[in-house]
Amino acid sequence: MAQIKVDGELIEVPDHFTLMQAAEAAGAEIPRFCYHERLSVAGNCRMCLVEVKGGPPKPQASCAMSVRDLRPGPNGEAPEMFTNTPMVKKAREGVMEFLLINHPLDCPICDQGGECDLQDQAMAYGVDTSRYWENKRAVENKHIGPLVKTIMNRCIHCTRCVRFTTEVAGISELGLVGRGEDAEITSYLERSLTSELQGNVIDLCPVGALTSKPYAFQARPWELSKTESVDVMDAVGSSIRVDARGREVMRILPRIHEGVNEEWISDKTRFVWDGLRTQRLDRPYVRKDGKLRAGTWREAFGAIAEAIGKTDGKAIGAIAGDLAAVEEMYALKALMASLGSTNIDSRPAGVALDPAKGRASYIFNPTIAGIEQADAILLVGTNPRREAAVLNARIRKAWRAGNVPVAVIGEQADLTYDYTYLGAGIQSLTDLAGGKGDFAEVFKTAKRPMVIVGEGALAGGPGAQVAAMAAQIARTSGATDEGWNGYAVLHNAAARVGALDIGFVPGKGGMATDAMLKASAKGKLDVLFLLGADEIDVPAIGAETLVVYIGTHGDAGAHRADVILPASTYTEKSGTYVNTEGRVQMTTRAIFSPGDAKEDWAILRALSGVLGKTLPFDSLQALRSALYGEYPHLARLDQIAPGKATDVDRLAGKPEAKGDQAFISPVSDFYLTNPIARASAVMAECSQMMSGIKQAAE
């Protein structure tokens, strides 16, 4: 620790603190444009100038000088800095004058207006006149893709975008070329950026040089109602803010959550909002004479009741989709139980995940933030860049900060960091579990090793054996020692962990997803409920099965459905989700559902009354009261009920190779993973762009 005086106030701070951090610790405000807490120091803008007593007779950039760089007084007095002297005021006014020399007067038509750092700081630290009369320079706008709009006349060369894409996103596709008046931020060849995190440069840009292309000229920030919520596009559960106007979501922005997403979100999370209002199901439909026709709730419920009245529970099944909240799965599970059916499942066909083996067997035990503590990482059957882009950035952060060795068994893809490729499938995992190879020694000597297993490795016949071998590697390498549980399952669906927590899996004698599809194809399943389940093999459902689809969009499930019950998206309801690390989260309603669409749990409650199996709750509060009574950990929002390391030890098994099946990530297209994304024109354009880039590279 070191002592320093800030504007006459003596404080004690760590000696590695910059002068800017020391000033903020003392409560002094320091303006800045180029400095950002999560990026390297550039010292470009010079807006953070302060006066240092005993230092050079000129202002100093507080972001680039640390407390340890200051000299004490002649008698050992603590060094001093000043943030509000006439020298500092004049220096900041001069810097602001320089920044505005070439900046255009675009505020009335700039999407950054109202949220612009340059506007705010010009008001606080600038002057109302300029000594410059020369013409402003003009810079050509750059094409960097369908997501980020560039107006480069506004750029002040803070290089935040360059440092983010290089350091956090892991792509070297933006840079600054030229010097002085000719300096420009460019993508060199003006190609589209290829990062799944590129939208974050919009938030980082302190001026209006980089703005959202889909949101351009749509709304002003003061027109929007702002609702804090969580994302469900993947299993990370990023904290977001939903900005809406009337009954439409206009944009989605990140919120800071150090334990989950820091302050980043993926492009799918940020730009999927146009899919929330297109291809929506806004009224019930019933199939008559081979065609789906709009009907009433009474007609839809009547058709379901008629079909269920002709069969028994053993011929009724239910599959929950990737975006289902815990409340509706709990209600559907209760309804199926009242009908005498144990045929329920929430897992993709053939995936070996069993809640009976303990919570530690299916959650990301070391937590997302715990990735930064790992000193060796093994990825098994997962491509985190496609499955969980924000989590992948955390792995890259650990790799950059501590040179953490990473190894991959599965697809050989560009993950934005270096790794050792061990092989494509089961044989490579068996060899590693048997202690073969150089990385086996690296893993054994690591103090906090981490084994990240994806759903791509757990699918198919050998899934259970793969889980056992991965757990065995974790156990023998000390990844389940006291104080550290390095066995981590990376899910790709927001609904998965919550479903496993409440036991939305087949009961005694019940059929799993693949078994229900096979039974339907053979005509042995009379009624099948699809709770937003579009990712299953829908064409495999038999023609004689009555399919009841409860969902939001006209996707695969709705096309096959015989009865459609329109439901609410995650921005239109309050729903509980559990992310891949087991953290309980809750969405908040930002807008109302379109047309006759209702919240899923309310649909199931109304249906239960028509079927004569009335569920024991009349409100969301009553449902949650029952839910929390049965599963108390779901009441503790933003907390993680940790899994037991002993569960991982019990899961561990001997390394036994069965064939050489390759592990394939279940996410082949990052932008089109769910019905909302597939309804989005922006996501379709991104998918087409990436497909073109991939073909050109091949």
Side-chain angles (χ1 to χ4, degrees), residues 197-242:
L197 300 169
Q198 62 181 278
N200 290 289
V201 301
I202 297 168
D203 299 328
L204 287 172
C205 185
V207 294
L210 303 176
T211 57
S212 171
K213 191 174 283 188
Y215 174 72
F217 309 122
Q218 295 293 313
R220 287 296 197 181
W222 53 83
E223 298 178 296
L224 306 175
S225 60
K226 301 166 179 65
T227 307
E228 294 186 352
S229 189
V230 294
D231 172 54
V232 301
M233 292 297 107
D234 53 32
V236 175
S238 301
S239 294
I240 59 173
R241 193 186 83 192
V242 180

Side-chain angles (χ1 to χ4, degrees), residues 94-154:
V95 169
M96 182 59 69
E97 191 175 355
F98 271 116
L99 290 175
L100 295 178
I101 288 172
N102 289 307
H103 198 80
L105 299 174
D106 281 353
C107 297
I109 53 108
C110 178
D111 274 326
Q112 200 83 352
E115 299 172 319
C116 178
D117 290 350
L118 188 62
Q119 271 188 338
D120 297 340
Q121 293 187 39
M123 286 290 295
Y125 303 103
V127 290
D128 59 353
T129 58
S130 175
R131 290 168 285 180
Y132 291 86
W133 295 93
E134 292 81 7
N135 291 331
K136 294 178 182 289
R137 74 166 187 167
V139 182
E140 239 181 77
N141 294 336
K142 310 297 188 294
H143 171 76
I144 59 174
L147 302 179
V148 182
K149 181 181 179 182
T150 63
I151 307 94
M152 302 314 291
N153 285 336
R154 304 170 186 165

Side-chain angles (χ1 to χ4, degrees), residues 136-483:
K136 294 178 182 289
R137 74 166 187 167
V139 182
E140 239 181 77
N141 294 336
K142 310 297 188 294
H143 171 76
I144 59 174
L147 302 179
V148 182
K149 181 181 179 182
T150 63
I151 307 94
M152 302 314 291
N153 285 336
R154 304 170 186 165
C155 181
I156 62 170
H157 305 144
C158 69
T159 68
R160 279 187 180 183
C161 55
V162 176
R163 284 175 284 148
F164 172 81
T165 54
T166 305
E167 297 167 10
V168 179
I171 58 168
S172 298
E173 297 173 355
L174 273 182
L176 187 143
V177 298
R179 299 183 67 186
E181 188 181 24
D182 298 322
E184 293 183 40
I185 300 291
T186 178
S187 59
Y188 306 114
L189 301 177
E190 296 201 19
R191 291 178 179 171
S192 300
L193 301 185
T194 58
S195 172
E196 296 80 8
L197 300 169
Q198 62 181 278
N200 290 289
V201 301
I202 297 168
D203 299 328
L204 287 172
C205 185
V207 294
L210 303 176
T211 57
S212 171
K213 191 174 283 188
Y215 174 72
F217 309 122
Q218 295 293 313
R220 287 296 197 181
W222 53 83
E223 298 178 296
L224 306 175
S225 60
K226 301 166 179 65
T227 307
E228 294 186 352
S229 189
V230 294
D231 172 54
V232 301
M233 292 297 107
D234 53 32
V236 175
S238 301
S239 294
I240 59 173
R241 193 186 83 192
V242 180
D243 288 2
R245 183 176 61 190
R247 302 191 70 159
E248 288 189 352
V249 173
M250 303 304 294
R251 64 177 180 179
I252 296 173
L253 299 176
R255 287 189 294 124
I256 295 177
H257 193 305
E258 298 295 347
V260 181
N261 59 303
E262 298 183 292
E263 61 184 85
W264 319 124
I265 54 174
S266 73
D267 293 340
K268 184 166 52 180
T269 299
R270 182 185 298 270
F271 295 106
V272 79
W273 50 267
D274 68 315
L276 292 167
R277 55 176 179 251
T278 53
Q279 298 185 27
R280 284 300 300 273
L281 301 173
D282 60 357
R283 67 191 68 182
Y285 287 84
V286 180
R287 192 175 294 276
K288 296 178 181 178
D289 301 325
K291 292 186 177 181
L292 283 170
R293 304 183 188 278
T296 64
W297 286 100
R298 185 185 297 274
E299 291 172 344
F301 286 166
I304 298 169
E306 181 182 353
I308 289 179
K310 296 177 181 178
T311 187
D312 62 8
K314 293 181 180 179
I316 303 173
I319 301 174
D322 292 352
L323 305 182
V326 171
E327 287 84 355
E328 53 247 35
M329 289 189 286
Y330 180 77
L332 182 55
K333 180 185 176 185
L335 177 61
M336 294 297 289
S338 68
L339 295 173
S341 174
T342 57
N343 303 323
I344 60 174
D345 206 356
S346 58
R347 303 163 298 182
V351 169
L353 292 168
D354 188 354
K357 295 180 179 178
R359 199 167 195 248
S361 70
Y362 62 83
I363 67 171
F364 203 95
N365 292 287
T367 73
I368 296 172
I371 291 172
E372 296 180 34
Q373 301 176 28
D375 53 5
I377 298 175
L378 172 66
L379 302 176
V380 181
T382 180
N383 183 334
R385 183 173 177 181
R386 287 204 301 256
E387 297 172 28
V390 174
L391 184 144
N392 191 62
R394 187 84 76 152
I395 298 176
R396 174 176 167 79
K397 182 180 179 182
W399 171 78
R400 286 186 71 240
N403 198 25
V404 175
V406 181
V408 170
I409 298 177
E411 294 181 37
Q412 193 168 9
D414 178 10
L415 300 180
T416 73
Y417 41 83
D418 296 336
Y419 59 82
T420 302
Y421 187 64
L422 302 180
I426 294 175
Q427 185 59 54
S428 303
L429 183 65
T430 305
D431 292 343
L432 184 63
K436 298 179 182 178
D438 295 337
F439 196 79
E441 292 301 317
V442 172
F443 224 61
K444 285 180 181 178
T445 56
K447 294 181 180 178
R448 291 181 300 278
M450 183 182 295
V451 182
I452 301 178
V453 185
E455 289 187 4
L458 301 175
Q465 181 65 21
V466 169
M469 284 194 288
Q472 176 69 11
I473 293 171
R475 185 175 70 173
T476 56
S477 63
T480 57
D481 290 348
E482 187 176 349

Side-chain angles (χ1 to χ4, degrees), residues 463-539:
Q465 181 65 21
V466 169
M469 284 194 288
Q472 176 69 11
I473 293 171
R475 185 175 70 173
T476 56
S477 63
T480 57
D481 290 348
E482 187 176 349
W484 177 257
N485 187 344
Y487 182 79
V489 177
L490 179 57
H491 297 276
N492 54 63
R496 197 85 72 232
V497 175
L500 294 170
D501 276 353
I502 66 169
F504 202 92
V505 293
K508 187 176 181 180
M511 292 184 284
T513 298
D514 47 356
M516 280 188 267
L517 295 177
K518 290 176 183 177
S520 173
K522 295 177 181 178
K524 296 182 179 179
L525 195 70
D526 297 328
V527 180
L528 178 62
F529 288 90
L530 298 181
L531 186 60
D534 295 276
E535 313 311 319
I536 62 170
D537 186 10
V538 174

Side-chain angles (χ1 to χ4, degrees), residues 402-665:
N403 198 25
V404 175
V406 181
V408 170
I409 298 177
E411 294 181 37
Q412 193 168 9
D414 178 10
L415 300 180
T416 73
Y417 41 83
D418 296 336
Y419 59 82
T420 302
Y421 187 64
L422 302 180
I426 294 175
Q427 185 59 54
S428 303
L429 183 65
T430 305
D431 292 343
L432 184 63
K436 298 179 182 178
D438 295 337
F439 196 79
E441 292 301 317
V442 172
F443 224 61
K444 285 180 181 178
T445 56
K447 294 181 180 178
R448 291 181 300 278
M450 183 182 295
V451 182
I452 301 178
V453 185
E455 289 187 4
L458 301 175
Q465 181 65 21
V466 169
M469 284 194 288
Q472 176 69 11
I473 293 171
R475 185 175 70 173
T476 56
S477 63
T480 57
D481 290 348
E482 187 176 349
W484 177 257
N485 187 344
Y487 182 79
V489 177
L490 179 57
H491 297 276
N492 54 63
R496 197 85 72 232
V497 175
L500 294 170
D501 276 353
I502 66 169
F504 202 92
V505 293
K508 187 176 181 180
M511 292 184 284
T513 298
D514 47 356
M516 280 188 267
L517 295 177
K518 290 176 183 177
S520 173
K522 295 177 181 178
K524 296 182 179 179
L525 195 70
D526 297 328
V527 180
L528 178 62
F529 288 90
L530 298 181
L531 186 60
D534 295 276
E535 313 311 319
I536 62 170
D537 186 10
V538 174
I541 300 173
E544 297 178 10
T545 302
L546 180 91
V547 177
V548 180
Y549 180 76
I550 306 171
T552 61
H553 287 72
D555 207 69
H559 283 291
R560 171 57 187 86
D562 298 294
V563 179
I564 295 176
L565 306 178
S568 303
T569 65
Y570 70 105
T571 58
E572 298 161 3
K573 64 185 177 185
S574 175
T576 302
Y577 290 86
V578 186
N579 77 348
T580 192
E581 61 182 348
R583 186 184 300 272
V584 181
Q585 302 172 305
M586 189 175 289
T587 61
T588 307
R589 180 164 61 191
I591 58 173
F592 289 95
S593 307
D596 293 333
K598 309 292 182 186
E599 293 187 30
D600 308 64
W601 74 266
I603 295 172
L604 293 164
R605 167 63 180 80
L607 176 61
S608 70
V610 174
L611 297 177
K613 306 289 185 180
T614 306
L615 296 175
F617 43 79
D618 295 317
S619 65
L620 184 59
Q621 290 74 19
L623 186 157
R624 283 180 175 158
S625 179
L627 176 66
Y628 297 159
E630 201 167 341
Y631 307 101
H633 73 281
L634 295 176
R636 298 190 285 273
L637 291 181
D638 202 36
Q639 295 186 34
I640 301 172
K644 299 176 181 177
T646 52
D647 292 339
V648 179
D649 292 339
R650 282 197 297 269
L651 182 66
K654 295 180 180 179
E656 297 177 4
K658 293 184 178 179
D660 195 20
Q661 178 179 320
F663 301 143
I664 301 174
S665 171

